[in-house]
Amino acid sequence: MTTEHGGPATTPSQTVGPFFALPGGLPWPDGPEVVGPDTEDAFLLRGRLLDGAGEPVPDGLVEMWQADEHGRFAHPDDPRGSSTSARGFGRCATGSDGEFWFRTVRPGALPTPEGEWEAPHIDVTVLARGLLDRVVTRIYFPDEEEANAADPVLSTVDQQRRGTLIAGVEDGAFRFDIRLQGTGETVFFAV
Amino acid sequence: MSTDSIEGQADRLLLPSYARDDSSHPALDTPEYRSTSLRHPSEPLQRLPQNLTEVTGPVLGHERVSETDHDLTIQHEGEPLGERIVVSGRVLDSDGKPVPDTLVEAWQANAAGRYRHAGDRHPAPLDPNFSGVGRCMTDEHGRYRFVTIKPGAYPWRNHDNAWRPAHIHFSLFGRAFTQRLITQMYFPGDPLFHQDPIFNSVRDPKARERMICEFDLDSTIPEWALSYHFDIVLRGSRATPFENEEDDDDD
Ligand SMILES: [Fe+2]
């Protein structure tokens, strides 16, 4: 089976199922700690994963990927060159109340190929039993009003729903709940 | 680095573009798999441009993988019960290019169809010599290899007398956020396929075949283990400096 451009067709996605968190499995002990506790300007980001009935999803896995505080990636495909050793990646299995957390730093703004600037943001993948494919969303920061207003992705999102992509602040941490369906449904992206 | 120099480069940013492959994948809303009912987004997905965050991804290296991680039969004092098998293949992209040095994670039930997970209530025995977790890195040709035992089928509560066909779960990162893939590998000729809503959530029969490994007599290890071959294909990138997105069908 090949695609119209001659290469092989992709392998289909399947659900991560209920048992990915078996001992030694996908959740890593240091998974939520994108940066160490002593990192300057590190903060906690907490949230809950909720289903269409508003019930917690206790068997989900939330992953995040972001630039470092200067907007840099430790990656060969960043044409500006790789000038960071930041891991930039976190994963956290949800708890019995659907809760997840990360310790990270605020990423820098990012230039786009169109010459615009994306506001500081974190890309998120949500996996769970009952999700046959991952769903993707983005976390933006509440105190970046100017940058958020100019962000080429946020500005394409219906104003009524834009707020689902912007973290809140609670107890000295950022808060980002993910609602898979229904009232207040988080905006999800096809990437 | 000053903002000016970043700005100066911004209009010359040349990023890879990962081909869409929606037709390979199941719909999030698949009523036969009951757990999707309250967990699929009801609003349409918005198109996310593939900018820097999307075309990069975690470079998770060898520090995540230990010597015995690829061999699920040597992680304990004794050997696990079951049919010893080798599962190997390549991680490719849809341009046919191998994906080297990428983390492959796998997890599975034991030979009796039981996971070492507190939530698994299937009354089948746990095997003290089997954890059911493997990981490895692909080599420079995109090759990976696991030694394990063949997982058993297991019942679940989706519908009356529902059984999952034997499968091994796989997690792949590729080199970009865009390429992240979670899938399941099935075994040829499983009699449980027809009643499994997860396998059949992939509507295209040709696409379903791409989740089934091939029995591979040539790479069996005589008098020791049978062998299965399973290639995993992630989305490919075409660097397209001079053309715009071809597919405009956002919806
Ligand atoms: Fe499973």
Side-chain angles (χ1 to χ4, degrees):
Chain A
M1 172 86 191
T2 57
T3 55
E4 63 275 8
H5 60 280
T10 54
T11 306
S13 169
Q14 294 274 269
T15 178
V16 76
F19 301 131
F20 61 85
L22 75 182
L26 293 194
W28 298 335
D30 65 343
E33 302 191 55
V34 182
V35 299
D38 302 327
T39 309
E40 200 181 344
D41 298 327
F43 56 81
L44 291 180
L45 171 69
R46 301 180 198 279
R48 288 174 78 206
L49 179 61
L50 301 164
D51 73 9
E55 295 295 324
V57 174
D59 44 13
L61 186 73
V62 181
E63 293 182 343
M64 50 144 286
W65 169 242
Q66 66 166 77
D68 75 0
E69 58 269 54
H70 308 294
R72 291 291 166 150
F73 295 96
H75 196 280
D77 287 344
D78 183 341
R80 303 166 301 165
S82 167
S83 58
T84 178
S85 58
R87 185 172 98 190
F89 175 74
R91 64 166 29 160
C92 184
T94 58
S96 56
D97 210 20
E99 74 277 12
F100 61 89
W101 67 277
F102 296 103
R103 182 190 296 112
T104 188
V105 292
R106 182 180 308 222
L110 296 174
T112 73
E114 285 73 37
E116 298 174 292
W117 284 87
E118 292 184 309
H121 64 271
I122 298 173
D123 272 16
V124 174
T125 287
V126 182
L127 303 162
R129 176 177 68 84
L131 278 177
L132 283 162
D133 199 352
R134 66 167 177 171
V135 291
V136 168
T137 188
R138 268 189 177 190
I139 302 172
Y140 288 87
F141 293 86
D143 50 353
E144 297 274 0
E145 282 157 29
E146 208 173 310
N148 287 347
D151 182 89
V153 172
L154 264 187
S155 55
T156 65
V157 173
D158 177 10
Q159 193 139 20
Q160 302 261 299
R161 303 187 61 214
R162 219 172 277 175
T164 69
L165 300 176
I166 300 172
V169 178
E170 188 182 285
D171 300 334
F174 286 107
R175 171 150 201 111
F176 189 80
D177 291 336
I178 302 172
R179 293 179 176 80
L180 290 172
Q181 189 190 85
T183 311
E185 182 175 311
T186 301
V187 171
F188 295 104
F189 294 101
V191 60
Chain B
M1 172 165 294
S2 76
T3 308
D4 280 349
S5 64
I6 294 178
E7 234 155 44
Q9 292 167 21
D11 40 20
R12 297 198 299 276
L13 269 189
L14 182 58
L15 303 181
S17 159
Y18 286 84
R20 299 293 298 272
D21 67 341
D22 301 335
S23 61
S24 285
H25 300 298
L28 292 165
D29 182 10
T30 296
E32 308 92 281
Y33 174 24
R34 287 194 346 219
S35 304
T36 67
S37 67
L38 285 170
R39 294 185 172 188
H40 72 273
S42 48
E43 298 285 342
L45 304 181
Q46 302 242 335
R47 182 72 168 267
L48 187 65
Q50 294 177 12
N51 288 336
L52 278 165
T53 317
E54 291 71 40
V55 303
T56 56
V59 180
L60 300 162
H62 297 261
E63 79 283 355
R64 294 273 161 201
V65 178
S66 80
E67 284 288 296
T68 59
D69 278 359
H70 74 285
D71 188 338
L72 289 75
T73 69
I74 58 167
Q75 296 171 351
H76 296 272
E77 286 281 295
E79 280 207 83
L81 294 172
E83 184 185 334
R84 196 187 290 121
I85 59 172
V86 175
V87 177
S88 63
R90 285 196 302 163
V91 180
L92 305 166
D93 70 21
S94 58
D95 301 320
K97 288 193 310 242
V99 183
D101 289 314
T102 190
L103 177 66
V104 182
E105 299 168 295
W107 68 102
Q108 64 168 88
N110 68 21
R114 178 88 185 264
Y115 286 88
R116 184 173 287 280
H117 184 287
D120 188 350
R121 311 319 269 175
H122 178 33
L126 281 167
D127 183 339
N129 290 313
F130 192 70
S131 300
V133 177
R135 39 178 80 81
C136 68
M137 301 293 291
T138 59
D139 69 9
E140 70 269 33
H141 305 292
R143 291 181 301 214
Y144 74 91
R145 181 173 182 271
F146 289 108
V147 180
T148 184
I149 50 95
K150 194 170 180 188
Y154 58 85
W156 60 314
R157 298 210 178 106
N158 185 73
H159 57 274
D160 188 41
N161 196 21
W163 290 78
R164 293 299 330 282
H167 60 273
I168 298 177
H169 296 264
F170 276 84
S171 155
L172 295 115
F173 288 90
R175 63 187 278 141
F177 179 81
T178 313
Q179 288 181 301
R180 184 89 176 95
L181 178 72
I182 302 282
T183 189
Q184 300 182 23
M185 183 200 88
Y186 299 91
F187 291 87
D190 197 310
L192 294 167
F193 283 152
H194 74 280
Q195 57 79 63
D196 183 44
I198 295 180
F199 177 72
N200 292 298
S201 67
V202 177
R203 299 301 191 207
D204 173 5
K206 288 279 183 210
R208 287 200 293 272
E209 278 173 28
R210 301 199 292 273
M211 301 188 289
I212 305 173
C213 61
E214 273 174 41
F215 176 67
D216 182 17
L217 188 65
D218 288 343
S219 53
T220 54
I221 304 175
E223 294 174 40
W224 197 74
L226 292 177
S227 184
Y228 292 91
H229 186 87
F230 184 56
D231 284 342
I232 301 164
V233 182
L234 309 177
R235 294 164 66 179
S237 66
R238 315 151 290 174
T240 50
F242 304 117
E243 53 191 65
N244 289 317
E245 294 257 57
E246 293 150 81
D247 43 351
D248 295 316
D249 46 337
D250 291 9
D251 21 26

